[in-house]
């Protein structure tokens, strides 16, 4: 059973940084892709970033390119999202997701496993 547990959310001022982590367990994730999605109040969930565990290929939403960096730690089975230059519009619940395969899609329905999420609030 795949389990994904996010951590690292919080309150930060605009221009600040946060680092989110997703601890994955229950599988050997070498053939998986991990993604981050976010959902703001009253809005649909949207793609943020994804990384292939084996090949290391990445994909980013245009809104976060140059500000966010997704990375993985194979030894710890952890995927991180470094968020810099945060803006108030980045405020959302951020969820980690996983799918089998090496592609790095941005489509939510292609991900099979989801964490509970962690709140990120950016004040202006």
């Amino acid at each position: 059973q795949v389990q994904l547990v996010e951590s690292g959310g919080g309150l930060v001022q605009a221009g600040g940084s946060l680092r989110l982590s997703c601890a994955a367990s229950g599988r050997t994730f070498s053939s998986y892709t991990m993604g981050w999605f976010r959902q703001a109040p009253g809005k649909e969930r949207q793609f943020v970033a994804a990384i292939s565990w084996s090949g290391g290929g990445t994909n980013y939403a245009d809104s976060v390119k140059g500000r966010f960096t997704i990375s993985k730690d194979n030894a710890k089975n952890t995927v991180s999202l470094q968020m810099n230059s945060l803006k108030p519009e980045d405020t959302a619940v951020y969820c980690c997701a996983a799918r089998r395969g090496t592609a790095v899609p941005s489509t939510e329905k292609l991900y099979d496993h989801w964490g509970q999420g962690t709140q990120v609030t950016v004040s202006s």
Side-chain angles (χ1 to χ4, degrees), residues 13-28:
Q13 288 188 332
S17 298
L18 279 176
R19 186 177 182 86
L20 305 183
S21 292
C22 173
S25 62
R27 287 282 192 279
T28 299

Side-chain angles (χ1 to χ4, degrees), residues 1-3 24-29 32 77:
Q1 181 178 351
V2 174
Q3 286 192 319
S25 62
R27 287 282 192 279
T28 299
F29 288 93
Y32 275 67
N77 258 17

Side-chain angles (χ1 to χ4, degrees), residues 49-101:
I51 187 167
S52 168
W53 209 291
S54 60
T58 58
N59 186 14
Y60 293 92
D62 288 342
S63 59
V64 307
K65 280 181 182 176
R67 300 189 298 124
F68 291 11
T69 303
I70 190 170
S71 62
K72 58 185 176 71
D73 184 327
N74 293 343
K76 295 182 179 179
N77 258 17
T78 299
V79 174
S80 297
L81 185 69
Q82 177 67 41
M83 306 186 295
N84 299 328
S85 302
L86 283 161
K87 305 174 182 180
E89 51 264 43
D90 294 318
T91 295
V93 174
Y94 284 70
C95 291
C96 179
R99 66 179 299 274
R100 190 184 298 272

